[in-house]
Amino acid sequence: MARSATTLHRLLDVLPVFAGDHRVTPLFTLAPGSAYDTDALAALDGAGARTIPWDEAVTGAHHRLALAASPNGALHLLPGPLALLPHGAGFNKHLADRESATGLDPGQLLHAGRPLADLHALAHPSQLARLARTSPTAAAPAKVTGDPTLERLHHSQPGRARYRAALGTGDRRLIVLTSTFGPESLLARHPELPQRLTATLPYDTYQVALVLHPNARARHGAFALHQWLAPALRAGLVLPGPYEEWGAALIAADLVITDHGSTALYAAALDRPLIGAYDGGRELVPDSPMAQLLAQVPRLTSHAPYPGQLAAALAGHRPGSVRPLADPAFAARGSALDLLRTELYRLLGLDPPPGPVLPVPLPEPGATPEPVTAFTVETAPTPDGVRVSRFPAAADGPPGDHLAADADRAALGQLQTAALLYRRGPATGAPDWPALALAEYPACRTAAQILAPDRCTVRTRAGARLAVVIDHGPGAPVDPSAVLSAVHARRPTGADRFRCHLGDRTVGVQLSPL
């Protein structure tokens, strides 16, 4: 039984416990009454799942066991055994107008004085103890079985390089923003933060991704979200999908900036450096695992430049130092699916299949950033060459000392003001395109054709015609257009050899007369 995309995704992470068993057929029903059910229905349709109407589900004619990942809704109408799973980590938020945590409130877990569920699966013994102190009756069907979603994340960690490649991260540091839903969420309180980060972080050093709670997507819709985030998206922001892709982004991340949403606990369990961006309020339960985590990590402040704060958090991270912050939320690590399978098959009255349950590794994320078509560029001479820092021109970032633009993709106004114009691909149709660019755009001082990742041709307004060869060295190739900004800054007139410093990378550059 799903009520929202969030609860559906949790149920899908559990279904591997039944994999390969032809005795078990999964059916889905969408319970009425949730404001966030639209995306759940679309996801079920996309997965090809067989669904039955709620009115049929409550007859009990189709099922021997019901699974739900939320205590809300008319669960008491479902006949037969019911297994209740959590749909987050840590039970960190207050239930509206109550002091108890949502998901552990007896008012949600009891009906007519009796437990709704025959199994209430919890991730940590402290959650069971918390519930037992409040209501022994509500705690009676509760058992600690661990967290299946964390188990899936853990088994997906060998895919980190693949996930980073799919996201286009390269050698950059991936900064992931996580925002829960509601008025106290990061995106509600700091809607400008994605744009400010993409504007002020050097493009060749950092990549930024935003992980949104599925309820935020369901409430506002993709169209409105893309409209609000348009400046940041044009500056390279990645928006991973609400199912599976967010987990791949966490694994790929180098640092996570978080509000009080439970996604941060998964990031901590993966030992990712964390920076808190929650301003306080009524939602966070004071003694919850999330509250404890936020009390121990650095805080993001608008009073200091973001690059310095991120660099300090990355430099201060010690491997293994963050993982213990997630310990109050997760137990039975590595055995969650096996424990859960034992309990679910007990409710079914069947013997489970032999062997362990194998978690399904996360697929590569399909979300890719929009290409940035123009940059404001800061250059500075070094003893052996030039240091280049680029910032997306679509964002409100540093002014730089020149504008560099992709001649085939940038807006006309950017082409008319760019000092460096470049075109990617073989020189077809116009063999000497740089000469044509200099003639058409008077503001252009350097025009270049990128022929391959390591080869370009350049013309300058001063009359130089040069071949550029880039020695990328070990690691992924850097963007040749960034190296061209270093060439532009050198004001070359003939043969030259120097080094281009770009973020954490240094590449060799050789110029020779064309």
Side-chain angles (χ1 to χ4, degrees):
M1 184 205 78
R3 280 176 52 83
S4 64
T6 309
T7 59
L8 172 64
H9 298 160
R10 297 292 294 201
L11 295 172
L12 294 177
D13 281 346
V14 168
L15 287 185
V17 302
F18 302 117
D21 192 339
H22 295 278
R23 299 171 298 172
V24 179
T25 300
L27 303 177
F28 293 86
T29 189
L30 195 63
S34 172
Y36 309 108
D37 58 1
T38 304
D39 286 2
L41 184 60
L44 286 171
D45 286 343
R50 183 187 168 195
T51 60
I52 58 174
W54 175 252
D55 290 344
E56 288 187 28
V58 297
T59 67
H62 299 281
H63 70 270
R64 292 272 302 277
L65 172 65
L67 302 179
S70 168
N72 297 323
L75 296 181
H76 63 281
L77 296 179
L78 290 169
L82 169 68
L84 181 60
L85 313 171
H87 69 267
F91 298 100
N92 308 297
K93 292 183 181 180
H94 282 298
L95 191 64
D97 301 323
R98 301 188 200 176
E99 289 303 311
S100 55
T102 181
L104 290 182
D105 183 79
Q108 295 178 294
L109 303 174
L110 300 174
H111 178 73
R114 300 181 60 186
L116 284 171
D118 298 273
L119 168 68
H120 187 182
L122 298 174
H124 194 273
S126 63
Q127 299 165 5
L128 178 54
R130 214 161 128 197
L131 182 58
R133 286 194 302 268
T134 307
S135 172
T137 303
K143 291 194 177 182
V144 176
T145 59
D147 189 293
T149 297
L150 177 61
E151 197 152 311
R152 190 177 189 194
L153 291 172
H154 174 72
H155 282 268
S156 299
Q157 289 188 90
R160 174 177 164 85
R162 291 189 297 108
Y163 302 151
R164 289 174 67 86
L167 293 169
T169 306
D171 291 322
R172 294 180 292 173
R173 295 164 181 168
L174 176 59
I175 309 301
V176 173
L177 301 173
T178 69
S179 179
T180 187
F181 72 102
E184 295 182 10
S185 68
L186 182 147
L187 196 61
R189 288 185 166 177
H190 302 285
E192 79 292 341
L193 186 58
Q195 182 179 351
R196 294 300 302 150
L197 288 174
T198 54
T200 59
L201 296 178
Y203 180 83
D204 297 295
T205 304
Y206 294 100
Q207 183 186 36
V208 182
L210 173 61
V211 170
L212 285 173
H213 193 286
N215 286 0
R217 290 174 171 268
R219 168 166 288 181
H220 303 299
F223 187 90
L225 288 172
H226 280 77
Q227 181 176 354
W228 295 335
L229 296 169
L233 292 169
R234 288 196 296 268
L237 177 73
V238 183
L239 198 61
Y243 178 53
E244 299 180 323
E245 291 192 8
W246 70 268
L250 282 191
I251 293 171
D254 294 289
L255 183 145
V256 175
I257 299 174
T258 182
D259 56 17
H260 58 308
S262 63
T263 302
L265 288 165
Y266 293 111
L270 295 172
D271 202 41
R272 298 297 179 262
L274 288 162
I275 295 180
Y278 178 55
D279 295 336
R282 293 180 50 84
E283 291 182 352
L284 184 61
V285 176
D287 61 346
S288 64
M290 191 65 215
Q292 297 173 34
L293 181 149
L294 289 173
Q296 298 180 69
V297 301
R299 278 192 51 79
L300 190 72
T301 173
S302 59
H303 304 304
Y306 293 133
Q309 296 182 67
L310 303 189
L314 287 164
H317 176 65
R318 298 293 178 266
S321 61
V322 179
R323 191 176 293 111
L325 300 181
D327 287 347
F330 303 115
R333 297 193 190 191
S335 57
L337 286 174
D338 289 309
L339 291 172
L340 194 58
R341 179 173 68 172
T342 298
E343 294 299 328
L344 295 180
Y345 273 85
R346 175 181 62 82
L347 294 176
L348 282 170
L350 297 174
D351 291 327
V357 185
L358 297 178
V360 180
L362 295 167
E364 296 175 8
T368 55
E370 294 183 23
V372 178
T373 59
F375 295 93
T376 56
V377 187
E378 292 179 348
T379 60
T382 67
D384 60 352
V386 181
R387 174 162 292 283
V388 173
S389 299
R390 301 193 300 169
F391 303 87
D396 184 19
D401 52 56
H402 71 270
L403 181 68
D406 185 325
D408 292 321
R409 296 180 176 180
L412 178 60
Q414 293 170 329
L415 299 181
Q416 292 172 334
T417 55
L420 166 64
L421 291 176
Y422 54 88
R423 168 177 276 183
R424 301 180 189 270
T428 57
D432 195 4
W433 174 83
L436 298 178
L438 289 169
E440 185 173 356
Y441 298 104
C444 178
R445 314 306 297 172
T446 305
Q449 183 96 38
I450 300 173
L451 303 174
D454 61 346
R455 296 181 183 275
C456 311
T457 60
V458 167
R459 267 187 181 268
T460 70
R461 189 155 303 273
R465 298 182 63 218
L466 302 167
V468 182
V469 177
I470 305 169
D471 179 8
H472 293 280
V478 304
D479 186 348
S481 67
V483 177
L484 290 173
S485 280
V487 174
H488 172 79
R490 295 280 285 190
R491 300 181 182 274
T493 58
D496 191 10
R497 185 188 296 268
F498 65 94
R499 300 181 75 76
C500 173
H501 302 275
L502 189 67
D504 294 330
R505 293 288 301 279
T506 298
V507 299
V509 185
Q510 180 176 328
L511 306 181
S512 57
L514 189 62

